Amino acid sequence: MKRQIVLGMIISAFSAGVAMAEVAPESVAYTDGAVAQSLTGTAGNPEEGRKAMVDRGLGNCVACHKAEMLKDQPFPGDVGPTLDGAGDRWTEEQLRGIVANAKMTFDGTVMPAFYKNSGYIRPGDGYTGKAAKEPIAPILSAQQVEDVVSYLMTFKE
Amino acid sequence: MTLRTIKTALAATAILGCAFTGMTMADPVDEPMVIDGQNITIRAPAPEFLKGVLPEVLSGWLYRDEDTRKMELDDFDNPGIIYADRARDQWEVVDGTEGKACVSCHESPEAMKGLRAVTPRVDPDSGKLMNIEAYVNKCRTERMGAEAWGDKSDHMMDMLALISLQSRGEIINVAMDGAAAPFWEKGKEIYYTRYGLLELSCANCHEQNNGKYIRSDHLSQGQTNGFPVYRLKDTKITSAQGRFVGCVRDTRAETFKIGSDEFNALELYVATRGNGLAVEGVSVRH
């Protein structure tokens, strides 16, 4: 019993440590495309996630995806599948992996990787057409990925 | 692969399948293009090297809305024609140390008929890959003793419009073999390279997803037979390479420059993807 308590304390301490350290893009661990560990240890905020999904300079998800939950957004694109029911079809871990780097789930997919900062060909500085400045920031921050995932988990059929 | 991954992969396939079925709803229109009684070929069998990739090649005109399409059918409504008219005046203007104008050597702009349908091409004398802009500046610097025009300058865009218009209706037949082959291979490689933070190639949008929408943009095959194009959202005309800059920039990439070896090669390659379509002259798009 005593031993279990000590172990519990160690786990709590470990979790607290994780909560403080953000997982860098190059350190994200993908398992069959899914990412089990939160990138920040801080629960995602669905409202912020929605903002990131519709902002053209952030996720801009509506450029390619339609969804009932986003029907107030004019002219959604249809290059990607509809996001309706995404929270039923996928686990949080899978959604985190798809948002961070969908190519780990769907080989060769057109979908951009939103949490990646290397391996690009001629990376640009935003939409200026000029070369990116090092270090390259991923399109979404770690917390924004968590926010988007938390909002997607509410997409139920 | 776990059972779960297989299941989710299958689910994803089903979703993608639905999306592809939905694509038919956003198909391009099937209408003829007739300007001044002349039928312009805007739908043709795909060139041999695209067999199995595209069933047929389609002008971007077929993907635009009705109002935009109509504007191109009447030269009085087509704002791009004004640029060509300006170049007709410029044709007579003497410039440079040799005291020459275009008219000194070429008589009328009609002498340029056919050029737009076969360029870019490798110049047999110099071995250089030449598009119309390169020919214009070669004339200006070597024959007229005048300064080269800027790639996006009004003069260059006007002249591009005028020269292009002389070949309206002519079937594009840009060479990809012989001396053009190495340039074509390089252009092809660029076409399939996924650039920028969004990691998008030309093919990702214009080959794999033409007919679908990115926001309100109806993705076309990215054919260049209509260039130069009057873009309603820019309220000016743009060359093919000018559009390449915009496209690559929108992938959050560092673009290539107009007139660079890379864009010259890409322009040649993309032109050959439209072999069989007709030159539109100056097209209208939004």
Side-chain angles (χ1 to χ4, degrees):
Chain A
M1 184 68 188
K2 204 172 190 180
R3 191 174 184 169
Q4 280 174 334
I5 291 168
V6 173
L7 190 64
M9 282 167 72
I10 291 169
I11 288 169
S12 305
F14 184 67
S15 306
V18 167
M20 281 182 280
E22 203 171 277
V23 180
E26 62 272 24
S27 307
V28 178
Y30 293 89
T31 307
D32 289 331
V35 176
Q37 193 191 343
S38 163
L39 301 180
T40 61
T42 303
N45 176 337
E47 278 176 41
E48 290 300 316
R50 180 186 168 82
K51 282 184 202 164
M53 286 184 72
V54 301
D55 188 318
R56 195 171 180 277
L58 293 174
N60 198 18
C61 307
V62 287
C64 292
H65 297 280
K66 286 188 208 303
E68 271 299 304
M69 295 281 282
L70 298 165
K71 66 181 176 189
D72 58 320
Q73 298 296 311
F75 306 114
D78 62 356
V79 165
T82 167
L83 300 178
D84 291 338
D88 295 323
R89 285 197 302 279
W90 307 99
T91 64
E92 181 187 314
E93 292 78 9
Q94 288 171 326
L95 285 173
R96 184 178 292 117
I98 293 170
V99 174
N101 186 351
K103 292 172 186 75
M104 306 301 270
T105 302
F106 308 111
D107 193 28
T109 181
V110 170
M111 182 168 161
F114 291 90
Y115 197 63
K116 179 177 147 168
N117 62 356
S118 62
Y120 295 118
I121 301 170
R122 296 180 72 85
D125 183 10
Y127 292 105
T128 64
K130 296 190 171 71
K133 297 180 188 87
E134 295 286 345
I136 294 167
I139 297 171
L140 293 180
S141 70
Q143 192 55 48
Q144 282 166 338
V145 172
E146 294 302 323
D147 294 344
V148 168
V149 169
S150 70
Y151 186 47
L152 284 172
M153 286 303 291
T154 69
F155 284 44
K156 304 284 187 187
E157 291 283 14
Chain B
M1 204 181 207
T2 61
L3 184 62
R4 183 166 204 169
T5 331
I6 293 167
K7 265 190 198 161
T8 50
L10 283 171
T13 313
I15 293 155
L16 285 170
C18 292
F20 278 118
T21 318
M23 189 173 82
T24 52
M25 288 163 65
D27 273 349
V29 297
D30 188 10
E31 280 178 19
M33 177 188 278
V34 181
I35 307 175
D36 260 349
Q38 184 183 14
N39 188 54
I40 315 290
T41 305
I42 46 167
R43 182 182 280 267
E48 195 60 38
F49 75 92
L50 289 178
K51 290 276 156 64
V53 176
L54 296 174
E56 55 181 350
V57 287
L58 306 171
S59 162
W61 182 80
L62 293 163
Y63 293 80
R64 300 285 72 100
D65 67 30
E66 191 179 358
D67 291 344
T68 308
R69 292 201 305 275
K70 264 189 183 166
M71 283 178 92
E72 192 176 330
L73 299 182
D74 186 334
D75 281 349
F76 288 101
D77 294 333
N78 181 343
I81 300 299
I82 297 161
Y83 297 79
D85 285 344
R86 282 202 310 212
R88 208 170 261 284
D89 296 335
Q90 184 66 31
W91 196 262
E92 321 261 331
V93 176
V94 174
D95 194 8
T97 56
E98 304 304 306
K100 286 180 179 171
C102 304
V103 69
S104 314
C105 298
H106 301 295
E107 240 175 87
S108 73
E110 285 71 21
M112 295 293 122
K113 186 174 165 61
L115 183 66
R116 173 64 179 83
V118 295
T119 50
R121 71 176 174 199
V122 177
D123 186 71
D125 300 330
S126 67
K128 282 185 182 164
L129 181 56
M130 304 288 283
N131 59 8
I132 290 172
E133 296 94 311
Y135 273 119
V136 168
N137 272 339
K138 188 171 191 281
C139 260
R140 288 186 55 78
T141 55
E142 293 180 14
R143 289 185 181 171
M144 296 169 70
E147 282 192 22
W149 280 334
D151 296 309
K152 293 192 286 186
S153 64
D154 289 348
H155 281 317
M156 184 60 89
M157 290 299 107
D158 293 353
M159 199 53 76
L160 185 57
L162 179 65
I163 292 173
S164 187
L165 202 54
Q166 306 315 309
S167 300
R168 180 188 270 169
E170 298 223 358
I171 302 299
I172 293 183
N173 185 21
V174 168
M176 51 189 276
D177 55 357
F183 297 105
W184 189 86
E185 288 294 342
K186 181 178 180 174
K188 181 181 177 183
E189 190 193 324
I190 292 170
Y191 190 89
Y192 287 100
T193 299
R194 301 184 66 165
Y195 292 107
L197 265 62
L198 299 185
E199 297 179 291
L200 293 173
S201 67
C202 307
N204 284 150
C205 286
H206 298 292
E207 183 174 283
Q208 287 174 248
N209 284 299
N210 68 77
K212 293 197 193 176
Y213 285 85
I214 287 195
R215 215 69 203 252
S216 59
D217 282 340
H218 196 190
L219 292 172
S220 72
Q221 291 183 352
Q223 296 289 354
T224 50
N225 64 303
F227 280 86
V229 49
Y230 183 88
R231 291 190 93 213
L232 296 166
K233 70 172 87 164
D234 297 339
T235 63
K236 64 181 173 104
I237 59 170
T238 306
S239 67
Q241 292 198 24
R243 190 77 274 282
F244 292 168
V245 168
C247 252
V248 177
R249 181 198 58 215
D250 287 349
T251 69
R252 298 201 192 190
E254 178 188 4
T255 64
F256 297 103
K257 288 192 164 55
I258 296 177
S260 63
D261 290 346
E262 289 86 358
F263 272 175
N264 285 341
L266 183 62
E267 186 182 7
L268 169 79
Y269 174 73
V270 176
T272 65
R273 291 177 71 98
N275 277 345
L277 295 173
V279 174
E280 291 176 31
V282 191
S283 63
V284 183
R285 306 283 188 264
H286 53 251

